[in-house]
Amino acid sequence: DMKKDKITWSDQLFRIFGQEPGVFEANYPSLVEIIHPEDRDAFNEDVAKSIEEKAQHDIIHRIVINNGEVRYVHQKGRTFYNEHGEPVRMRGTTQDVTKDIISNQQIVEQNHELQNFVRIISHNLRGPISNLLMLSKIYEWGKDEMNDDIVKKIEHTTEALDQTIKDLHH
């Protein structure tokens, strides 16, 4: 209720926000107070934009509950207007997406570590591969058929390994 600055929360919403029904007074300022300080401006801008542009309010942001625990919530909602086009109330949902966000962050971090590993391995293998290819180029071909065959196989294997490393690096 935008006129009375009152928010009606379900029991589940009180649990998500770490508040007690009957103790916590749900209104816009008290809601904003729970939002992580670094996310407040984005939250307020999203709410204002959704009201002004008659668009859906849709944002993922952090909240800090009573014991200092940080949670991520996904809030979606819309504004309802009176016959004069004035905003009178908003309705929406809040979903705790903390596990999803943390899992995503872990995947991104693991991917970053894997990319670093590939870069290190690629770098460490480039020198020996270059040396093997260079040695095959200066080899005196035609003196010993069996050695020629062995060196040719080493050269092909090294070229294949070189291509694999190039493919990994891109």
Side-chain angles (χ1 to χ4, degrees):
D1 187 327
M2 296 169 82
K3 299 287 185 197
K4 295 178 184 174
D5 189 22
K6 184 175 188 248
I7 303 174
T8 305
W9 279 5
S10 67
D11 289 343
Q12 178 64 14
L13 203 52
F14 278 101
R15 279 192 292 280
I16 289 172
F17 280 88
Q19 304 298 323
E20 288 186 45
V23 176
F24 178 78
E25 185 181 340
N27 56 38
Y28 194 79
S30 62
L31 169 62
V32 171
E33 189 65 29
I34 297 171
I35 295 172
H36 192 285
E38 293 174 10
D39 295 351
R40 287 179 187 159
D41 287 344
F43 177 82
N44 284 325
E45 288 170 17
D46 193 69
V47 169
K49 180 182 172 190
S50 72
I51 292 168
E52 291 166 14
E53 297 178 9
K54 297 184 178 179
Q56 181 169 319
H57 167 59
D58 189 348
I59 189 169
I60 295 174
H61 62 85
R62 294 169 291 176
I63 58 173
V64 183
I65 62 173
N66 294 333
N67 60 8
E69 177 188 349
V70 174
R71 292 182 182 169
Y72 290 84
V73 294
H74 184 188
Q75 293 191 292
K76 289 176 115 173
R78 63 181 280 236
T79 306
F80 295 86
Y81 305 84
N82 65 17
E83 63 275 2
H84 306 291
E86 300 166 332
V88 291
R89 67 183 177 92
M90 292 185 83
R91 182 177 67 199
T93 61
T94 300
Q95 183 178 11
D96 185 345
V97 293
T98 305
K99 288 179 183 175
D100 295 337
I101 297 293
I102 291 172
S103 293
N104 250 359
Q105 289 171 342
Q106 289 171 338
I107 290 169
V108 167
E109 180 60 30
Q110 288 172 344
N111 189 34
H112 181 69
E113 289 173 11
L114 183 59
Q115 287 174 343
N116 283 339
F117 175 75
V118 167
R119 272 193 286 276
I120 290 167
I121 295 299
S122 295
H123 176 76
N124 290 347
L125 288 175
R126 297 230 52 56
I129 289 171
S130 294
N131 288 342
L132 282 169
L133 289 171
M134 181 191 66
L135 288 171
S136 72
K137 300 297 180 214
I138 61 172
Y139 173 74
E140 292 185 33
W141 296 93
K143 289 188 172 185
D144 184 320
E145 194 175 316
M146 193 166 91
N147 284 346
D148 286 356
D149 189 45
I150 291 169
V151 172
K152 186 51 88 180
K153 288 179 181 172
I154 290 172
E155 185 178 43
H156 287 305
T157 302
T158 304
E159 287 170 349
L161 182 57
D162 187 46
Q163 187 59 50
T164 301
I165 297 300
K166 287 176 183 173
D167 291 345
L168 277 175
H169 205 62
H170 292 94

